[in-house]
Amino acid sequence: MRKLVVQQWVTVDNIAAEEDGGLTFVSGEPFSEKTNPAFKANLMGFIDSVDTMVLGATTYAQTKDYWPYAEEQGEYGQKLNNLTKIVASSKLDEAPWGDFPAATVTRDPVATVRALKGQSGKDIWLWGSLTLMHSLLDAGVVDEVRMLVCPVSRGTGTRVFVDGHDLLLVEATAFDNGVALLRYEITK
């Protein structure tokens, strides 16, 4: 059965978005020539493990004008752009993605994720979309959370976890760029 995997860039104090929604703390991008090879291999391995990406409407709006045209992102960008995309929105009727196939819009992301998990294929990636992530966690459809912990703190902002969840550590990897990958299975 496919899994829904959340991946979030976070600070050491559990902030996944600054008060203004920004991500100035993100470090260690996977597509730079200076990128630590082990870090890049890990992120490329993750993107190869998924075939579908779910986004909330805000994340979609913030990324739709950049990623489809981001040729400088190389292989990572090509793979990201070729994923099947689902946008959760109560207002959008369509979700174009440059010259790539448009995203499918869903009004019921929980039912959509449940249906996707029952189909054959690779895992499903929830990209950013903290509000959507929280509702999917509450609905019990998130299987794993991957946190890319950046070596900074912010004190305030939107946290990855706002409610209690039981987690099982499945991976903890430190990279030379200061980022640590923490992978947790959500225990039911």
Side-chain angles (χ1 to χ4, degrees):
M1 185 157 155
R2 300 167 83 181
K3 296 185 303 185
L4 176 62
V5 179
V6 171
Q7 180 171 276
Q8 296 288 349
W9 291 89
V10 298
T11 63
V12 295
D13 55 344
N14 188 31
I15 301 297
E18 292 154 333
E19 287 183 325
D20 65 357
L23 300 170
T24 63
F25 59 85
V26 171
S27 59
E29 294 292 347
F31 23 75
S32 165
E33 290 181 17
K34 299 176 186 176
T35 300
N36 170 287
F39 182 67
K40 183 175 182 176
N42 186 286
L43 291 183
M44 294 302 285
F46 172 67
I47 205 165
D48 286 339
S49 74
V50 299
D51 62 11
T52 304
M53 181 167 53
V54 178
L55 305 90
T58 301
T59 300
Y60 167 75
Q62 291 171 338
T63 59
K64 69 178 179 69
D65 293 327
Y66 172 74
W67 277 101
Y69 312 100
E71 293 178 14
E72 73 278 4
Q73 306 304 353
E75 182 183 9
Y76 185 88
Q78 290 171 0
K79 290 180 180 203
L80 183 144
N81 284 319
N82 282 300
L83 294 172
T84 298
K85 292 169 195 61
I86 310 290
V87 175
S89 174
S90 60
K91 297 178 182 166
L92 293 174
D93 292 321
E94 57 183 33
W97 196 264
D99 291 334
F100 297 91
T104 301
V105 176
T106 180
R107 305 244 187 273
D108 188 347
V110 172
T112 299
V113 167
R114 284 189 176 128
L116 288 169
K117 288 172 73 170
Q119 298 171 2
S120 62
K122 295 180 179 182
D123 288 338
I124 305 153
W125 174 16
L126 176 65
W127 190 29
S129 309
L130 289 166
T131 301
L132 177 58
M133 182 196 80
H134 292 146
S135 68
L136 294 174
L137 276 167
D138 291 345
V141 297
V142 175
D143 299 290
E144 181 180 312
V145 176
R146 287 175 53 98
M147 294 188 297
L148 296 161
V149 183
C150 299
V152 298
S153 65
R154 288 295 183 258
T156 59
T158 305
R159 299 191 179 283
V160 172
F161 296 107
V162 292
D163 296 320
H165 295 280
D166 293 330
L167 309 171
L168 175 66
L169 181 67
V170 293
E171 181 182 356
T173 304
F175 298 100
D176 290 345
N177 60 5
V179 175
L181 169 66
L182 300 177
R183 287 181 46 221
Y184 291 98
E185 180 182 307
I186 305 293
T187 57
K188 307 288 188 230

